[in-house]
Amino acid sequence: MNKYQRQAVVFSLLGAAFIAGGMGMKDYVTFSPLIGWLFGLFCQIIALLSAIKWNRDERGSTN
């Protein structure tokens, strides 16, 4: 498994976990859904960038 591929998988799972955790903690922490969604979005963006880098690594750079 490539470094970028591993990062994409890990950050995708972390993003989903942050969203679920934020929604699950909404009765205990005031702004937990907002915090969970923001961290989840951040992790998903990092996962997307890692997947793009992995794709470029696999196909080779054309530029």
Side-chain angles (χ1 to χ4, degrees):
M1 195 179 238
N2 185 322
K3 175 181 118 175
Y4 295 120
Q5 186 178 13
R6 191 175 306 120
Q7 282 180 352
V9 170
V10 167
F11 280 111
S12 281
L13 292 174
L14 271 176
F18 276 125
I19 292 169
M23 296 306 288
M25 295 290 289
K26 68 181 174 184
D27 293 333
Y28 305 106
V29 181
T30 306
F31 293 107
S32 67
L34 176 66
I35 294 167
W37 276 98
L38 288 176
F39 279 125
L41 178 65
F42 182 69
C43 286
Q44 292 294 333
I45 290 171
I46 293 174
L48 176 66
L49 293 175
S50 295
I52 290 170
K53 286 181 183 179
W54 169 52
N55 190 17
R56 285 186 183 164
D57 247 10
E58 289 292 315
R59 293 180 185 246
S61 183
T62 58
N63 293 336

